[in-house]
Amino acid sequence: MGTYPTAAAGVGALFAMLVTVRRGREVVAATLVLGAVIAAGSLTAAASTPLTFAPAILTISLCVFPPMVGVSIVRGFRRMVQRELDLVLVQSTVTQPSSAVGMLASEELARIDLDAETLLDDVATGRTALPLSPAKSAAAATLATQLRLHLIEGRRETWLHHALTESEFLGPAVNLDDPSGLAGQLSPEQRDALLLAIWLLISDTDGAEPTVSLVFGPLGRTSGHDIGEMLRFPIKMIVEGVPRRRVDPETWQAIRVVGPHIDSVRSGQLHVDIECSIDNPADA
């Protein structure tokens, strides 16, 4: 009678300090168990008046709320950092050639190169006799096939393809249709602006996960005294899950860097038609 578990509030404060070194689910589970134990003790203890429940409610609140708030803050901070790191990763693809292999393929090419170098060194130093044994010959053929496949993929996959496939956030939300590899012909400024526009559309939303579909082409040509002879092609951007009023002004500014655009809303989807003009690669 008249005894309250005031030290339990200190345990809740300890849990709040552990949110940076332990998993969030572990801290949440321990906090819920602590709150349940205090609640059960308060309900089973004899009470002379209902007013004695007030200290128990206060103790439960002091135990549960700080760890929960700490877990929420840490999770939000980690997600923000991961997004920023992912953005830095995909922005590194902007300076790639029009067609090139991605970071993951580069690691695979490095492994294939090491295996091929080891095999050639063994032949050159005499550790492997000529003609090659069936096993060594099959290994060499496999390395050559893998190398050819990577080189072929490198000529078909543009920087934008690698930026999307290597991004944890953009990959599941963006669909790319660029059979002619026109994204590789964009200037560095256009590439950076297009990637930034996609990123802002995907990341600056609440609720349902948005999706963006990009369609490049077909390729055309325009001639004029003002702009010279340039290649022109449309970029169709279909955004679902982002109302037009929620689009950040910086997104429109980035799209204008890519080219003049017309936007409209059809069937609940935001359609952005961009007219992109680039220098003719044949004139370079």
Side-chain angles (χ1 to χ4, degrees):
M1 295 294 294
T3 302
Y4 306 103
T6 54
V11 179
L14 175 63
F15 288 165
M17 297 172 58
L18 296 176
V19 295
T20 59
V21 295
R22 300 302 296 264
R23 292 183 177 181
R25 64 173 65 96
E26 296 178 357
V27 177
V28 171
T31 302
L32 293 178
V33 171
L34 177 62
V37 170
I38 298 176
S42 301
L43 293 175
T44 56
S48 58
T49 172
L51 295 178
T52 57
F53 286 108
I57 295 175
L58 177 61
T59 303
I60 295 174
S61 301
L62 293 176
C63 289
V64 174
F65 286 160
M68 293 296 185
V69 173
V71 169
S72 177
I73 293 175
V74 170
R75 283 182 175 177
F77 179 76
R78 285 176 177 169
R79 182 175 179 83
M80 179 186 68
V81 172
Q82 289 175 354
R83 281 181 176 269
E84 294 300 325
L85 291 176
D86 191 79
L87 177 59
V88 173
L89 173 65
V90 298
Q91 281 183 329
S92 64
T93 62
V94 171
T95 57
Q96 288 185 355
S98 58
S99 298
V101 296
M103 295 181 60
L104 300 180
S106 298
E107 296 178 359
E108 183 69 13
L109 283 174
R111 184 191 64 80
I112 296 175
D113 180 72
L114 177 61
D115 294 341
E117 183 179 353
T118 302
L119 179 61
L120 293 176
D121 184 69
D122 290 343
V123 173
T125 57
R127 289 193 297 267
T128 299
L130 293 177
L132 296 177
S133 64
K136 291 289 186 178
S137 179
T142 301
L143 291 175
T145 301
Q146 292 177 352
L147 181 60
R148 285 195 296 268
L149 289 176
H150 280 291
L151 293 177
I152 292 174
E153 290 177 355
R155 295 188 61 85
R156 294 183 302 179
E157 298 175 350
T158 63
W159 67 272
L160 184 56
H161 172 82
H162 297 303
L164 299 179
T165 55
E166 294 173 4
S167 172
E168 179 183 354
F169 297 98
L170 297 182
V174 181
N175 299 317
L176 177 62
D177 184 8
D178 185 16
S180 301
L182 296 176
Q185 305 301 327
L186 298 177
S187 65
E189 293 78 11
Q190 291 173 318
R191 293 182 181 186
D192 188 67
L194 179 61
L195 189 61
L196 179 60
I198 299 172
W199 186 267
L200 291 175
L201 289 171
I202 296 299
S203 62
D204 192 18
T205 56
D206 297 327
E209 293 294 333
T211 59
V212 176
S213 298
L214 293 172
V215 181
F216 285 75
L219 183 65
R221 172 172 296 189
T222 178
S223 298
H225 298 290
D226 295 334
I227 60 175
E229 188 170 354
M230 304 185 70
L231 297 181
R232 181 176 61 187
F233 60 89
I235 302 177
K236 297 182 180 179
M237 182 182 299
I238 304 175
V239 185
E240 186 174 0
V242 183
R244 190 186 185 285
R245 64 181 183 276
R246 294 290 304 276
V247 178
D248 193 278
E250 189 176 355
T251 304
W252 299 118
Q253 180 63 29
I255 292 176
R256 281 191 288 270
V257 174
V258 182
H261 71 279
I262 300 175
D263 60 272
S264 60
V265 178
R266 312 169 196 167
S267 303
Q269 297 177 334
L270 177 60
H271 291 250
V272 183
D273 297 325
I274 308 173
E275 183 181 357
C276 184
S277 298
I278 60 174
D279 295 330
N280 193 339
D283 298 334

